[in-house]
Amino acid sequence: MKNSASDADVARVEEYVRREGYEPHTIRGEVRTVVAAVGDEVEHASLESLESLPTVEKVMPVQKGYKLIARDTHPETVNVDVGGVEIGGAGFTVIAGPCAVESQEQMEVVASKVKASGAAILRGGAFKPRTSPYDFQGLQEEGLNILRKTKEKFGIPIVTEVVREGDVEKISAIADMLQIGARNSSNFALLETAADTGKPVLLKRGMAQSVREWLLAAEYLVKRGNRNVVLCERGIRTFESATRNTLDLSAVVLAKQECSLPVFVDPSHAAGRVDLIIPLAKAAVAVGADGLLVEVHPCPEEARSDPGQQLNPDQFNDLMRAIKPYIDLAK
Ligand code: PEP
Ligand code: MN
């Protein structure tokens, strides 16, 4: 309450708090009075509108709003099964593959190479969210077919992006995991549609999304009854122009502390350049990430999207060898 609040003003706030389903506990200090509203903020209405009263100084929520995923209430990290591959357990999981699915041959070369180097899950976008409408939008249905055939041939689970609600059903018929990209991580209708398939969801952090907003987006998924959610930090937009984005490793640590979902790092979209990917991958392991998402193309200079950041298969093999001692150390 403001200093000027009278007993009648306090009583009015107590009454309001009670009406909204909370129990008011009023603390009268020497100068100020604080009305504590005891109750579950997630289940009851927000009390923020009290701030419109001239005698109320400030309304301070104490709960975080993501109670279904909060580490406080679920201390154990959630294990997510992606087509038989476990994410979030004791191991470290690497997802690799091209930015976009471009041809059957491209996917087969990449699948055999990344699998041999130790990747557990294959990625590749059939539907691409591109910044320009004139850029390659992905092979779409044809891309899905290529993913299906590649999965059958190599027996490796597939993650691919969903961009539109209307495509979720056909994509989930083939994918083992649905990726929600940075541009869609606040598209709540898409999040709910993806969650309702029951498939695991890889939720990228939006490029201007705070950690709290990112976790609340994950809460949207889990609230639909789908706990199979993996977070993925992929860099945020800052003033720095030497890299495509700024990899926020603090967010990885914070997300791990705050919630019980596994957290991945995507150094490819974070850096946007090949020479930083291995050092950033080591850093990701060191801060406690559960896995990596890395773009790999058989011939990066010919890639139809994100050519400057995709590793070739040899570079990817180097990455896997380079992170191995860090993984052993982190155990
Ligand atoms: C991608 O993974 O190819 C992609 C588009 O990523 P992001 O949504 O992080 O930009
Ligand atoms: Mn990409």
Side-chain angles (χ1 to χ4, degrees):
M1 305 297 297
K2 286 195 177 143
N3 287 356
S4 56
S6 67
D7 285 351
D9 296 327
V10 174
R12 188 169 163 206
V13 168
E14 288 171 338
E15 180 48 35
Y16 184 100
V17 163
R18 206 172 281 116
R19 209 170 46 231
E20 292 299 334
Y22 300 87
E23 187 57 42
H25 288 271
T26 301
I27 305 145
R28 291 178 194 273
E30 286 199 7
V31 242
R32 250 171 224 277
T33 299
V34 175
V35 180
V38 179
D40 191 343
E41 284 170 44
V42 175
E43 258 134 52
H44 295 108
S46 146
L47 294 173
E48 269 163 28
S49 49
L50 274 173
E51 260 176 18
S52 64
L53 292 181
T55 55
V56 170
E57 168 87 29
K58 202 172 171 37
V59 176
M60 290 189 295
V62 291
Q63 284 182 344
K64 291 167 182 159
Y66 38 85
K67 68 167 186 179
L68 298 176
I69 61 169
R71 181 82 68 189
D72 304 353
T73 35
H74 305 89
E76 290 297 307
T77 298
V78 172
N79 276 355
V80 178
D81 181 315
V82 179
V85 171
E86 186 195 69
I87 291 179
F92 187 83
T93 313
V94 178
I95 302 174
C99 180
V101 176
E102 295 167 5
S103 70
Q104 186 68 45
E105 193 201 345
Q106 171 225 24
M107 287 310 292
E108 292 196 7
V109 171
V110 123
S112 79
K113 297 273 190 183
V114 300
K115 196 176 171 185
S117 298
I121 301 172
L122 182 67
R123 63 152 282 149
F127 294 83
K128 295 300 301 176
R130 301 307 302 282
T131 302
S132 163
Y134 301 106
D135 288 341
F136 175 54
Q137 304 287 311
L139 294 180
Q140 313 209 353
E141 275 77 6
E142 188 193 341
L144 288 182
N145 258 326
I146 294 173
L147 284 171
R148 183 177 46 75
K149 285 191 213 145
T150 312
K151 172 175 153 173
E152 280 163 14
K153 186 156 174 187
F154 293 89
I156 185 168
I158 301 262
V159 54
T160 194
E161 182 162 351
V162 291
V163 180
R164 279 177 222 92
E165 277 171 71
D167 296 331
V168 168
E169 198 180 317
K170 61 179 173 244
I171 297 174
S172 63
I174 287 159
D176 297 283
M177 182 181 222
L178 304 176
Q179 177 174 323
I180 303 273
R183 290 159 190 78
N184 268 311
S185 50
S186 300
N187 181 345
F188 304 119
L190 181 65
L191 292 175
E192 290 180 343
T193 309
D196 289 348
T197 64
K199 291 269 171 176
V201 176
L202 182 73
L203 178 64
K204 296 262 199 130
R205 180 181 179 191
M207 54 190 92
Q209 208 173 32
S210 67
V211 172
R212 183 181 133 81
E213 288 164 341
W214 184 28
L215 298 181
L216 285 169
E219 184 85 1
Y220 261 94
L221 296 164
V222 176
K223 190 163 181 287
R224 302 297 281 199
N226 186 345
R227 290 201 76 77
N228 305 308
V229 178
V230 177
L231 297 168
C232 183
E233 157 64 30
R234 47 77 75 202
I236 50 173
R237 190 166 278 188
T238 69
F239 58 82
E240 182 55 71
S241 58
T243 48
R244 182 176 179 186
N245 291 289
T246 297
L247 179 60
D248 185 3
L249 288 173
S250 312
V252 177
V253 181
L254 281 170
K256 293 283 301 173
Q257 281 175 6
E258 283 291 307
C259 84
S260 47
L261 300 174
V263 182
F264 270 46
V265 168
D266 167 358
S268 306
H269 292 86
R273 45 191 281 179
V274 164
D275 58 340
L276 299 189
I277 301 201
I278 292 181
L280 294 180
K282 291 176 182 170
V285 181
V287 298
D290 296 278
L292 287 174
L293 177 98
V294 184
E295 286 192 341
V296 183
H297 193 286
C299 190
E301 55 279 20
E302 287 171 14
R304 297 182 71 183
S305 59
D306 290 349
Q309 69 190 37
Q310 304 202 54
L311 302 182
N312 66 36
D314 289 340
Q315 290 167 327
F316 177 69
N317 194 55
D318 291 344
L319 178 146
M320 293 300 280
R321 290 165 59 143
I323 62 172
K324 172 97 174 43
Y326 291 77
I327 295 171
D328 294 342
L329 205 59
K331 275 186 183 150

